[in-house]
Amino acid sequence: MIAGHLGIAYALAARQPRRFGAGLFAALVFAAYLPDVLDVVLALLAVCSPSGLYTHTIPSVVVQAACVGGLVWLLTGSPGLTAIFAGVVLLHPLADFVTGRKLIWPGQELFGLRMYDRPLADAILEVAMVGTGWWLFTGRRGMRGAASASWPLVFAIVVQCALDVSSARQKSNVKPNSCASGPSTKATAFFPLIPLRDEQALFRRR
């Protein structure tokens, strides 16, 4: 999921809309995409994270949410903001379950509805999610200001549609990873509890 994560951030921010200036909302959006950001970082470091092993599984996401929530609590002392920031991280794999197919728990099967295989349906769903979230954040609350600007909404829709068109043509995932050539020794070193045979099976199912 791409644009849908932004929609979730808008929807959660709508619980306390007047607290979200441009800077704080940008931080919330970063938190909403944190597992994907970590995927990119691991790819740049040439660390194989098959099917979101280190970034999208429940243990990983819980740790990410705890770190984000703890940081927000230390900086703001606000239970509401802490819950919003932690929640946007925790909801990331749930949203990805609809569109993709990833690990939920290390060493287990891949799960997901794979709407990426139906690009038109995926585009409709994600555009609806980001549009609804933006409306909740701005329209219902009468918000004005940088955080309620329409350009992030338009940008997200354009990017989402472009990615779905690319997916329809190439029949492939555009997210970078370093696993294309097979299992990495770095992967087993980082998570030695997963037998090598299970990791190899993950690549056969990708």
Side-chain angles (χ1 to χ4, degrees):
M1 182 163 286
I2 305 298
H5 294 306
L6 178 60
I8 292 173
Y10 274 127
L12 292 185
R15 296 182 61 83
Q16 297 188 19
R18 300 194 182 280
R19 301 199 63 175
F20 281 92
L24 189 59
F25 185 73
L28 182 65
V29 172
F30 180 84
Y33 288 95
L34 182 57
D36 292 332
V37 172
L38 293 179
D39 270 341
V40 175
V41 171
L42 290 179
L44 292 175
L45 294 175
V47 175
C48 174
S49 178
S51 302
L53 173 61
Y54 304 132
T55 59
H56 287 71
T57 52
I58 291 175
S60 173
V61 171
V62 168
V63 170
Q64 293 172 55
C67 291
V68 169
L71 181 61
V72 173
W73 173 259
L74 289 174
L75 293 176
T76 69
S78 168
L81 288 178
T82 299
I84 289 173
F85 272 82
V88 83
V89 178
L90 292 173
L91 287 174
H92 185 105
L94 181 61
D96 279 357
F97 174 83
V98 177
T99 56
R101 193 162 183 258
K102 288 185 170 71
L103 284 171
I104 293 179
W105 195 267
Q108 301 302 311
E109 297 291 326
L110 301 178
F111 291 93
L113 302 181
R114 299 183 65 170
M115 285 195 68
Y116 281 151
D117 293 345
R118 301 181 292 279
L120 178 59
D122 177 62
I124 292 172
L125 172 66
E126 299 208 39
V127 169
M129 287 180 64
V130 70
T132 301
W134 184 82
W135 175 77
L136 288 172
F137 183 68
T138 60
R140 280 180 54 184
R141 308 283 181 164
M143 280 289 296
R144 296 292 184 271
S148 60
S150 60
W151 71 262
L153 170 67
V154 175
F155 179 76
I157 291 174
V158 170
V159 170
Q160 182 64 57
C161 292
L163 291 176
D164 279 316
V165 169
S166 174
S167 177
R169 290 180 175 179
Q170 299 179 12
K171 304 294 184 182
S172 63
N173 194 343
V174 298
K175 183 182 291 186
N177 69 77
S178 61
C179 298
S181 59
S184 165
T185 55
K186 291 184 180 181
T188 53
F190 273 77
F191 214 118
L193 297 180
I194 298 180
L196 180 60
R197 64 179 183 276
D198 290 340
E199 188 182 68
Q200 291 173 333
L202 288 177
F203 284 97
R204 290 196 294 270
R205 292 196 292 266
R206 280 176 65 85

